Amino acid sequence: MSAAPRGDSARERAPNSGCVLVLAGLDPSGGAGLLADAEALRAFGLRPLCVATALTVQTTRHALRFQPVAPLLVQDSARALLEEEDVRAIKIGMVGAGPMARAIVDLLRDFPALPLVVDPVLAASSGAPLFKGPGGAGAYLELMRGAVVTPNLGEAEALSGMADPEAAARALQKLGARAVLVKGGHLEGDAIDLLFDGTRIERLVGARIAARKRGTGCRLASALAAGLASGLTLLVAAQEAKLYVRGYLQQ
Ligand SMILES: Nc1ncnc2c1ncn2[C@@H]1O[C@H](COP(=O)(O)OP(=O)(O)OP(=O)(O)O)[C@@H](O)[C@H]1O
Ligand SMILES: [Mg+2]
């Protein structure tokens, strides 16, 4: 199945009052992380609620270092928002360290009904680590239970031990993910993403765009969370998210 390029329908959607809660790193340059997440969510008419799990020292070109925020502060902040706001989905990106992942897993136990998108972040595009110490893959395996997980090719292999994207998708779903979207942004040729919901494998095909931009993964996962928050089916939400990222790459 292929996601044919279309107009900017997502961006023209009228705002509604629903929120998506994002727990992710703050990249002050805005290329990726919370600022990119917020941009994507607003484009889909959702209000972003953003809790920083880590502060990163980053420019548009370099990821230099990062400092995780105190896990209990993140947990309290997210819980307060979840209890008061009209949260319709949760997106998790960079968690930065094991204790943060555990604090978020504890929090999520109290909100099992909300659609959850987990975008694993182990390293920056430059290769600089964005998780302190070993155990990054294990931390995301815990976080992804019941979630739609969106690893890129390298992350899918790190989490599942499988180099083949379809085998990795099947393995991660078996390990507890609700569904798996293995992103093909780093393939040669067309950008083909694989979506496995436990039953069917769908191929989301997009012609490669000759642009190098950071934050495609963050934007895709937030756009997907926006679609789920709006009640779209997983497949349609994934197709719309991919189209949104195409638009971002073409800007
Ligand atoms: N050059 C491209 N042309 C078309 N689609 C692309 C391109 N690069 C990435 N994509 C799409 O963007 C989405 C994000 O995939 P990607 O593999 O870049 O994620 P990622 O590595 O997690 O990104 P990030 O570096 O932001 O973490 C996918 O839908 C992928 O197919
Ligand atoms: Mg990524």
Side-chain angles (χ1 to χ4, degrees):
M1 189 235 77
S2 74
R6 288 196 320 214
D8 282 356
S9 62
R11 263 164 285 173
E12 286 156 14
R13 195 165 299 146
N16 66 36
S17 59
C19 303
V20 173
L21 174 68
V22 187
L23 290 89
L26 178 65
D27 165 2
S29 75
L34 284 178
L35 293 169
D37 293 313
E39 215 171 273
L41 290 169
R42 287 208 182 94
F44 280 80
L46 276 293
R47 188 157 73 90
L49 304 173
C50 295
V51 177
T53 53
L55 304 182
T56 72
V57 181
Q58 254 181 119
T59 67
T60 45
R61 282 185 292 159
H62 298 113
L64 299 165
R65 66 190 183 91
F66 72 94
Q67 177 67 49
V69 172
L72 290 182
L73 185 64
V74 169
Q75 205 186 51
D76 283 356
S77 177
R79 186 181 296 281
L81 291 164
L82 282 160
E83 286 174 352
E84 203 170 299
E85 302 282 354
D86 179 15
V87 178
R88 298 185 187 173
I90 303 176
K91 185 236 153 156
I92 295 171
M94 173 185 179
V95 297
M100 181 67 71
R102 287 190 285 280
I104 296 173
V105 168
D106 283 348
L107 173 79
L108 293 176
R109 261 193 217 110
D110 295 337
F111 301 91
L114 282 173
L116 175 65
V117 177
V118 173
D119 184 36
V121 177
L122 300 174
S125 313
S126 63
L130 289 176
F131 193 95
K132 288 212 186 285
Y140 278 102
L141 287 174
E142 290 300 315
L143 282 164
M144 73 171 195
R145 287 179 206 286
V148 181
V149 63
T150 61
N152 64 21
L153 291 170
E155 292 153 354
E157 182 172 359
L159 266 62
S160 69
M162 312 262 179
D164 175 70
E166 184 173 332
R170 289 182 183 280
L172 292 177
Q173 197 274 334
K174 219 169 189 174
L175 286 167
R178 168 186 160 197
V180 185
L181 180 63
V182 180
K183 299 171 292 188
H186 302 271
L187 288 168
E188 300 286 320
D190 286 348
I192 302 172
D193 303 346
L194 287 187
L195 178 65
F196 180 57
D197 63 1
T199 310
R200 285 170 60 91
I201 289 265
E202 301 280 355
R203 285 157 48 88
L204 280 63
V205 182
R208 179 157 299 277
I209 296 165
R212 286 182 72 83
K213 280 193 175 183
R214 292 199 303 122
T216 48
C218 302
R219 285 175 171 82
L220 183 85
S222 279
L224 180 57
L228 297 178
S230 303
L232 300 184
T233 65
L234 176 60
L235 177 59
V236 173
Q239 288 168 331
E240 293 236 340
K242 192 167 170 70
L243 288 174
Y244 169 71
V245 172
R246 281 192 80 72
Y248 163 69
L249 283 167
Q250 281 166 334
Q251 265 165 34

